[in-house]
Amino acid sequence: MREPECCTYYLHDTREKPVTGVAMALILWKRRERLRMIEQRARETADPMERLRYVRGQMDGMAPPEKFQRPSSRKLAALIAAALGAALLLWRIS
Amino acid sequence: MSNVEQESSLPLGLDVGTSRIVVARSMDRAHQSQYESQLNAFITMPYSKLTQSLLEREGVFHEVFGGELVVTGNDAQRFAEVFHVETRRPMLRGVLNPQEPHSLPVMRSIITRLVGTAGAAGRKLFFSIPAPVSDGDQAIAYHEASIQQILKPLGFDAQPIQEGLAVVFGEMSGSNYTGIGISCGSGLCNVCLAVLSVPVINFAVAKAGDFIDTQAAAVTGELATRMRVQKELNFVVNGLSGDRVQNALTVYYDDVIQTLANTLRATISSAQRLPKLNQSVPIVLSGGTAIPKGFLKRFTAALHAEDFPIKISEVRLAEDPLNSTARGALMAALC
Ligand SMILES: Nc1ncnc2c1ncn2[C@@H]1O[C@H](COP(=O)(O)OP(=O)(O)OP(=O)(O)O)[C@@H](O)[C@H]1O
Ligand SMILES: [Mg+2]
């Protein structure tokens, strides 16, 4: 069994407080969405043993990154600039 | 593979309890489980050929340790009555009793009798271990290693599971293995809050059945064993009455219930990293100490669910309180 610390990483919203920035909010949202998906799929599995197997498999599969790092703001700015540039280019071409 | 061969390679769940050891076997892949238990107790008698032949004639399982005859498990209780001696216990408050020199060989004998040898090497087995209590080191690591030491030579691939988590596995499929599993046993009340099968909070309270027996015995001047018999026979947790023993049992039952509810509240309130729980969660009570009528009602009242730090959907008693832990351990092994 995986160490509980490992899996609970994904259960805690507050670990990397203070939660700031769109990127971080997105990460937290994705994480919650993933848990919601697991809940829903589990509910569709009627057999208790299969349900446990599924839930544990999913939770055990969620290994946390070596060291949690937010995407740096510079990287993010570069990404947004690239996306804007591409959109502009497309608009010019069409 | 023949049926017998298949059976002897299926995983096992083992509840290593302070007063009872229970094995859960799955009879087939369709999840029919079967339980077998032995009292985690023994008696010793000075060795004599006569006593030994008597035990043999009666078909009583016994071993010779040093110069003594040792009768273990359910037979120990039977013979304690015949020979007017008190049974001894290899475990205390959830772990091996450090004061008891016979503890390890006795547990080896009982466990081996229940699980046999693995049949196929590496057969999976999950065994229960207690959670830490807040006020003291119970030497859980030593206890766990000792049980491993018993199971490995028998050929098992043995892994521990916390007792509270086993209750969650055994009883909470309905809430996707999210909720609070509690086992009120004889040495401890083990508690686990799990979210989607992941243990988040895990602790134990060192007041349970044994505490009730010894305290009630101390104030009534009776033997703890007699208190235990009375308690198991027909005790109802419903306030004071005219009977001295019933009153003593009621007082200490209440103490156990209040301590458990208060510790649960305090532990959850002070948890630093509690997951965000969108839904309310169930609580399931199991273990022998939760059996008497009135326990559930009293515990629910002590909990004050209306202002509990997390929302509680229901508080219920396990379907088969004496086997929940073994069942959960078996489910972990079948995963
Ligand atoms: N019908 C009953 N009424 C009251 N108490 C009972 C009843 N049956 C068993 N008990 C008590 O329950 C306890 C045993 O329960 P259980 O088998 O769950 O404990 P355990 O697993 O051996 O102990 P632990 O989990 O603390 O290590 C004993 O204290 C016993 O006296
Ligand atoms: Mg127990």
Side-chain angles (χ1 to χ4, degrees):
Chain A
M1 241 198 296
R2 190 185 284 279
E3 280 297 301
E5 272 298 301
C6 243
C7 322
T8 46
Y9 173 89
Y10 283 93
L11 296 172
H12 297 287
D13 282 356
T14 49
R15 185 148 184 181
E16 305 84 22
K17 257 187 171 173
V19 180
T20 49
V22 180
M24 177 56 83
L26 196 69
I27 289 169
L28 292 184
W29 178 81
K30 270 194 178 163
R31 208 189 283 175
R32 267 202 295 266
E33 233 6 59
R34 170 102 200 257
L35 291 177
R36 236 196 304 274
M37 280 283 298
I38 296 174
E39 283 267 2
Q40 195 178 332
R41 274 279 314 273
R43 230 169 281 132
E44 287 160 9
T45 315
D47 177 65
M49 203 51 242
E50 280 307 315
R51 188 180 275 202
L52 181 60
R53 225 170 258 145
Y54 171 75
V55 171
R56 282 187 75 197
Q58 292 295 309
M59 297 306 283
D60 275 3
M62 296 215 280
E66 271 296 288
K67 190 169 186 291
F68 186 77
Q69 276 177 343
R70 290 196 238 167
S72 78
S73 52
R74 216 190 294 156
K75 229 190 221 164
L76 206 72
L79 265 172
I80 293 170
L84 270 176
L88 215 65
L89 195 70
L90 274 174
W91 176 69
R92 279 272 194 85
I93 292 171
S94 62
Chain B
M1 222 194 275
S2 76
N3 268 354
V4 177
E5 273 173 60
Q6 197 175 16
E7 228 172 68
S8 64
S9 66
L10 285 174
L12 296 178
L14 186 68
D15 172 8
V16 183
T18 309
S19 73
R20 293 168 58 257
I21 302 184
V22 186
V23 64
R25 290 189 184 85
S26 115
M27 296 321 287
D28 48 45
R29 292 280 173 191
H31 333 306
Q32 296 282 332
S33 325
Q34 196 191 55
Y35 306 97
E36 193 186 335
S37 73
Q38 285 286 335
L39 225 59
N40 196 0
F42 67 102
I43 54 167
T44 57
M45 292 169 282
Y47 180 85
S48 82
K49 273 237 147 57
L50 188 70
T51 322
Q52 189 173 29
S53 65
L54 175 77
L55 293 175
E56 264 158 20
R57 207 178 54 220
E58 293 286 317
V60 175
F61 191 86
H62 62 277
E63 283 175 71
V64 184
F65 297 149
E68 288 179 313
L69 278 167
V70 181
V71 177
T72 60
N74 297 341
D75 287 335
Q77 182 68 47
R78 202 153 58 88
F79 272 77
E81 281 151 26
V82 176
F83 290 107
H84 296 289
V85 289
E86 280 268 3
T87 52
R88 283 154 64 182
R89 311 251 299 264
M91 278 172 63
L92 183 73
R93 282 195 217 104
V95 292
L96 281 169
N97 182 354
Q99 313 295 343
E100 184 47 80
H102 286 304
S103 61
L104 210 53
V106 166
M107 291 207 35
R108 178 174 290 119
S109 147
I110 297 174
I111 290 176
T112 306
R113 199 156 15 133
L114 282 171
V115 302
T117 48
R123 184 177 180 189
K124 261 172 98 180
L125 181 153
F126 270 65
F127 62 95
S128 66
I129 52 164
V133 288
S134 53
D135 54 350
D137 175 23
Q138 283 155 279
I140 296 172
Y142 174 73
H143 172 80
E144 183 188 320
S146 305
I147 306 300
Q148 288 276 19
Q149 243 180 53
I150 294 173
L151 292 165
K152 278 239 168 77
L154 298 174
F156 289 98
D157 167 11
Q159 288 188 57
I161 179 169
Q162 293 137 357
E163 176 145 17
L165 184 64
V167 175
V168 172
F169 283 9
E171 303 286 335
M172 291 192 183
S173 69
S175 58
N176 289 336
Y177 307 100
T178 294
I180 301 175
I182 304 180
S183 171
C184 302
S186 80
L188 299 169
C189 290
N190 276 281
V191 183
C192 176
L193 162 65
V195 177
L196 288 168
S197 81
V198 177
V200 177
I201 292 176
N202 191 44
F203 67 92
V205 176
K207 282 182 183 172
D210 290 344
F211 170 81
I212 297 170
D213 304 344
T214 49
Q215 296 299 308
V219 296
T220 53
E222 301 270 359
L223 284 176
T225 343
R226 211 177 93 73
M227 294 296 104
R228 181 180 175 142
V229 171
Q230 289 252 351
K231 181 187 74 178
E232 292 179 12
L233 211 60
N234 53 9
F235 178 68
V236 181
V237 193
N238 66 351
L240 300 178
S241 69
D243 184 82
R244 216 163 55 97
V245 168
Q246 295 285 318
N247 280 350
L249 289 174
T250 303
V251 167
Y252 292 107
Y253 240 106
D254 252 344
D255 190 348
V256 167
I257 291 172
Q258 293 295 339
T259 310
L260 176 61
N262 292 342
T263 315
L264 180 59
R265 170 185 294 272
T267 312
I268 292 181
S269 298
S270 65
Q272 303 246 307
R273 295 171 44 233
L274 203 63
K276 222 177 165 167
L277 292 163
N278 298 321
Q279 77 275 45
S280 49
V281 301
I283 296 183
V284 172
L285 297 165
S286 76
T289 296
I291 291 178
K293 261 206 191 111
F295 184 94
L296 177 65
K297 198 169 160 205
R298 208 49 159 221
F299 176 77
T300 311
L303 210 56
H304 296 294
E306 58 292 348
D307 64 353
F308 200 70
I310 55 177
K311 274 190 273 170
I312 305 296
S313 58
E314 61 165 342
V315 187
R316 67 181 157 87
L317 200 64
E319 251 172 57
D320 187 2
L322 290 171
N323 294 329
S324 297
T325 304
R327 177 183 149 88
L330 174 61
M331 285 178 74
L334 283 166
C335 267

